[in-house]
Amino acid sequence: MKGSTWVLFFMLILAFVNPMALKASDLQVVTHEMLPIISKVEIDRLGHGFGMDIALAIFEEAKIDVSIDYVPMLRAFKMFQHNRFPVYIGSSGALVSHGLDKDSFYSISAMQFNVVLGYFKSHHKKDITFNSLSDLQGHTVGAIIGSIMAERLKKNGITIDYAPKQESLVKKLFFRRNDLWLTTNFSAIYLTRKYYSGSFDDLKFIDPPLARFSGDICIHKKTPNSVVIAEQLKSALTRIQKNGTYRDILKKYFGCKIPFHVLSKETLSNIRANDQKYFF
């Protein structure tokens, strides 16, 4: 074979072994099943999920091609920490909680969300309230495997029922197998409406939220041109908030049931005033 033919042959073999080999220029992204990303079941069936749609819209607006791997949560943290993947989509706060130096990466906050304890009011004689975590003792809390908050609750003597997917947790809550659901406001709103729309108005959250986090795109500082990439993504986020793309994604998944108080002031200011009717 001629030299060029050998090169082509080698590339085809490499692509067969690793389909991403012909897309080496793509930015490699790692993420996991979490919060508004919904779940891999949803991702496989519908294509993405709320959080991922927003992230992909940001990359598209920035004209950055990406290849995304979905792995278990703790594995995603480690892969990003060791720079096996230069970009992570999830919570920067969770990365830091698992030991990653906050100064080792850039973070673009694409959304804000509350970590909440949800329940169906009709399942209880009265609203559930608490002044301290000890007030939750006696209740069984459903939580996704790998949840840091669930581990904290468990250390305070609260019974935790773990499940691999958020869909399993909302079903367990609906069928009274658990008393409370440790999740995020976005996941709770979306999944309850999807599976049990007739009980949507029955869904309540214990006040106050257990925590507030951001959904972020994180770029490891060891990544070539990381500063430039971070600036491109930040500018792209602002543009999709202003041009209606961000709003349209919110509407796609949540209709009019968007708690605007969990969106940042910057996001709200970037969304046109006449579009705020989509939030409550």
Side-chain angles (χ1 to χ4, degrees):
M1 294 183 182
K2 295 182 179 180
S4 58
T5 306
W6 273 112
V7 171
L8 179 59
F9 178 73
F10 176 76
M11 290 180 67
L12 289 173
I13 293 295
L14 189 60
F16 179 78
V17 176
N18 177 13
M20 295 312 303
L22 294 180
K23 299 180 66 177
S25 61
D26 287 1
L27 194 61
Q28 302 298 305
V29 178
V30 66
T31 189
H32 52 82
E33 296 183 276
M34 67 166 290
L35 59 254
I37 292 176
I38 309 303
S39 78
K40 196 168 188 308
V41 171
E42 200 71 13
I43 291 163
D44 289 341
R45 185 165 59 245
L46 297 182
H48 303 119
F50 163 58
M52 192 53 59
D53 272 6
I54 287 180
L56 289 176
I58 293 171
F59 286 118
E60 183 178 353
E61 181 68 26
K63 295 181 171 55
I64 297 175
D65 294 328
V66 295
S67 296
I68 300 173
D69 271 19
Y70 297 91
V71 301
M73 184 184 296
L74 296 180
R75 185 181 172 196
F77 294 158
K78 290 182 181 297
M79 294 176 90
F80 180 70
Q81 181 176 15
H82 297 295
N83 200 30
R84 289 182 59 190
F85 281 77
V87 179
Y88 162 80
I89 297 175
S91 169
S92 60
L95 288 174
V96 174
S97 297
H98 279 82
L100 193 63
D101 184 354
K102 65 180 180 180
D103 293 325
S104 67
F105 60 90
Y106 297 108
S107 177
I108 294 89
S109 178
M111 68 198 76
Q112 290 71 44
F113 59 93
N114 293 340
V115 178
V116 296
L117 288 168
Y119 66 98
F120 288 118
K121 185 176 180 180
S122 63
H123 293 185
H124 304 272
K125 294 180 179 180
K126 58 181 181 180
D127 288 343
I128 301 176
T129 60
F130 76 100
N131 296 312
S132 66
L133 292 180
S134 60
D135 294 337
L136 299 176
Q137 292 180 1
H139 293 290
T140 299
V141 177
I144 199 164
I145 296 171
S147 167
I148 299 173
M149 187 61 69
E151 291 303 312
R152 293 177 182 172
L153 295 178
K154 189 175 181 179
K155 289 180 180 179
N156 280 271
I158 298 165
T159 302
I160 305 295
D161 177 26
Y162 290 102
K165 301 181 184 300
Q166 291 284 5
E167 288 92 336
S168 301
L169 294 175
V170 69
K171 290 176 182 178
K172 286 186 174 185
L173 187 73
F174 183 79
F175 289 108
R176 301 175 184 255
R177 293 178 60 185
N178 291 329
D179 303 308
L180 297 167
W181 176 19
L182 178 62
T183 184
T184 68
N185 49 349
F186 282 120
S187 288
I189 290 169
Y190 176 73
L191 291 175
T192 302
R193 171 174 282 173
K194 175 177 177 59
Y195 290 105
Y196 306 108
S197 58
S199 297
F200 181 78
D201 291 335
D202 195 31
L203 178 67
K204 304 295 179 184
F205 300 135
I206 294 180
D207 192 52
L210 295 179
R212 289 183 172 90
F213 287 105
S214 58
D216 309 303
I217 300 175
C218 302
I219 302 96
H220 205 293
K221 288 186 177 180
K222 290 183 178 179
T223 303
N225 301 317
S226 58
V227 177
V228 175
I229 294 171
E231 287 301 318
Q232 288 176 331
L233 295 178
K234 185 176 180 180
S235 297
L237 171 60
T238 299
R239 291 197 297 274
I240 69 167
Q241 289 171 339
K242 289 182 176 180
N243 66 21
T245 302
Y246 195 105
R247 172 211 63 204
D248 291 342
I249 295 172
L250 291 175
K251 285 177 61 182
K252 172 183 173 182
Y253 287 94
F254 304 105
C256 297
K257 295 292 186 178
I258 302 299
F260 71 83
H261 63 275
V262 306
L263 299 175
S264 69
K265 291 181 180 179
E266 182 180 13
T267 298
L268 287 175
S269 66
N270 286 335
I271 295 175
R272 295 171 298 180
N274 65 342
D275 285 332
Q276 292 194 20
K277 64 185 178 182
Y278 295 115
F279 309 106
F280 67 82

